[in-house]
Amino acid sequence: MKITIIGAGNVGASVAYTLILRELISELVLVDINKDLLLARELELSQSIAAFNFDIKITCTSDYKYTKNSQVVIFSAGVARKEGQSRDELFMINSKIMLECAQCIKQYNQDPLFIIVSNPVDFLLNTLYESKLFRSNKIIAMAGVLDNARFKYELSKRLNLKTSEVDTKLIGFHNDSMVLIQSQSKVKNKALDEVLNAQVITQIEHEVKIGGAKVIKHLKTSAYLAPASACVRMIEALKSGEFLPMSVILNGEYGLYGKAFGVMARISLEGVLETLELKLSEHEQLALEKSFIQYNYK
């Protein structure tokens, strides 16, 4: 599989490194405008490939012609979120960068699977959809896998369990209005409300929603290892066909048409294959409707 990553910063480099370790690629192209950074990434990644004796071709470049025939394009360029800065504040800057990069990709790639990792993911996906550069089912955004991992982590930590013993689900935007589907989340095959009281569940929900902000507070930059892992999990799902939470352009699910929203979906190199509309509790439905109103989705 040939994959292009746009943006050689912490997230892009971490995605590249993880793809190499998981042996998911035959060819990797890393695109950036910073030539010194590209040289450093090419040295490190090439030496990593050599250390494991893998047969992977890597190109680090600012020239989009090398992206030709990419099956997957991952967009991780743009400005990272700073402490105290909302995801919405990033939109104006990152949307312009994304569209410029997407137009360059379009010159050499007719219809790749385009995955957005940069924030704010849902609204960048809306912008890419409105540009009509690619088919709606071939553009998706990563965030749900990351948020769900944070949900699983917080639950397993609170209950001192293995993450494999926790099954969580969530939908919605990659921001404070995300909806954790408590009614369909389980701990050791028991319903969540059988194991934890409402107050504790609310505390966990809060920790999930500020998961990214906590990293920024201590690291002084955005998270990159967990987002990269979540993105690579989506690449693995191209073959496994499993349902994962991700932002896609909806076609009537939850009453939305032509809008980006986080749902459970199955993907392949052909794009979004199927979405799963979860049955929600009354509380979850109200939270969903509130998020729609907040972002003028209805």
Side-chain angles (χ1 to χ4, degrees):
M1 186 190 310
K2 180 176 180 178
I3 293 182
T4 286
I5 301 172
I6 303 173
N10 287 335
V11 174
S14 298
V15 171
Y17 184 58
T18 308
L19 287 170
I20 290 167
L21 292 182
R22 303 290 276 185
E23 294 186 80
L24 293 171
I25 46 175
S26 58
E27 184 174 355
L28 175 68
V29 180
L30 191 58
V31 178
D32 204 285
I33 59 174
N34 186 326
K35 293 186 177 180
D36 285 332
L37 182 61
L38 284 173
L39 179 58
R41 298 304 193 206
E42 183 160 11
L43 288 168
E44 286 250 90
L45 294 172
S46 297
Q47 291 162 13
S48 298
I49 291 168
F52 285 104
N53 254 354
F54 291 156
D55 185 18
I56 299 172
K57 180 180 179 181
I58 183 168
T59 305
C60 296
T61 181
S62 58
D63 192 337
Y64 279 83
K65 71 180 182 183
Y66 293 100
T67 72
K68 187 175 181 180
N69 297 325
S70 293
Q71 293 161 284
V72 179
V73 174
I74 298 169
F75 178 76
S76 64
V79 177
R81 187 161 63 114
K82 299 179 178 65
E83 185 174 1
Q85 184 181 40
S86 72
R87 293 181 177 92
D88 294 342
E89 290 179 84
L90 301 176
F91 177 68
M92 293 302 294
I93 298 172
N94 285 351
S95 60
K96 181 180 178 181
I97 295 171
M98 180 195 65
L99 287 178
E100 290 175 353
C101 295
Q103 287 163 356
C104 291
I105 285 292
K106 187 68 174 180
Q107 292 179 35
Y108 300 99
N109 300 273
Q110 184 61 32
D111 207 23
L113 180 67
F114 197 104
I115 303 175
I116 299 171
V117 178
S118 302
N119 275 315
V121 291
D122 305 288
F123 307 109
L124 288 179
L125 182 55
N126 272 338
T127 298
L128 187 59
Y129 168 67
E130 290 167 1
S131 75
K132 301 187 184 304
L133 284 168
F134 307 105
R135 286 189 289 138
S136 62
N137 71 313
K138 296 297 289 287
I139 54 175
I140 59 178
M142 187 289 299
V145 177
L146 173 61
D147 292 328
N148 204 38
R150 288 171 174 164
F151 188 7
K152 181 174 285 198
Y153 162 73
E154 293 294 344
L155 268 178
S156 60
K157 182 179 71 171
R158 178 65 65 105
L159 296 169
N160 194 28
L161 294 173
K162 300 174 183 177
T163 54
S164 59
E165 296 176 307
V166 178
D167 179 26
T168 54
K169 289 183 175 62
L170 58 75
I171 60 173
F173 298 106
H174 179 52
N175 56 31
D176 292 345
S177 69
M178 69 178 76
V179 182
L180 280 61
I181 310 301
Q182 301 172 18
S183 62
Q184 295 194 37
S185 297
K186 296 183 179 181
V187 177
K188 298 183 77 171
N189 291 320
K190 290 184 178 180
L192 192 56
D193 59 7
E194 292 181 31
V195 180
L196 296 170
N197 62 43
Q199 183 179 1
V200 174
I201 293 175
T202 299
Q203 291 171 357
I204 289 172
E205 183 175 18
H206 174 70
E207 292 301 316
V208 173
K209 290 181 177 182
I210 64 169
K214 287 192 291 185
V215 174
I216 293 172
K217 178 181 178 180
H218 298 291
L219 194 61
K220 308 308 177 187
T221 188
S222 294
Y224 53 91
L225 294 177
S229 299
C231 183
V232 172
R233 184 89 161 82
M234 292 172 68
I235 299 299
E236 291 181 330
L238 294 174
K239 290 186 177 180
S240 70
E242 64 185 303
F243 279 96
L244 290 177
M246 65 188 75
S247 190
V248 305
I249 301 298
L250 296 187
N251 188 33
E253 300 90 338
Y254 300 104
L256 296 179
Y257 292 86
K259 289 287 188 179
F261 195 68
V263 298
M264 301 296 295
R266 285 198 310 120
I267 55 174
S268 74
L269 287 175
E270 298 304 311
V272 179
L273 300 175
E274 183 182 4
T275 59
L276 183 64
E277 191 166 350
L278 300 175
K279 184 178 180 180
L280 306 179
S281 68
E282 183 178 353
H283 171 76
E284 292 157 358
Q285 185 64 42
L286 287 172
L288 189 68
E289 293 292 337
K290 184 178 179 181
S291 71
F292 289 165
I293 295 170
Q294 181 178 355
Y295 294 101
N296 298 316
Y297 263 42
K298 282 193 174 181

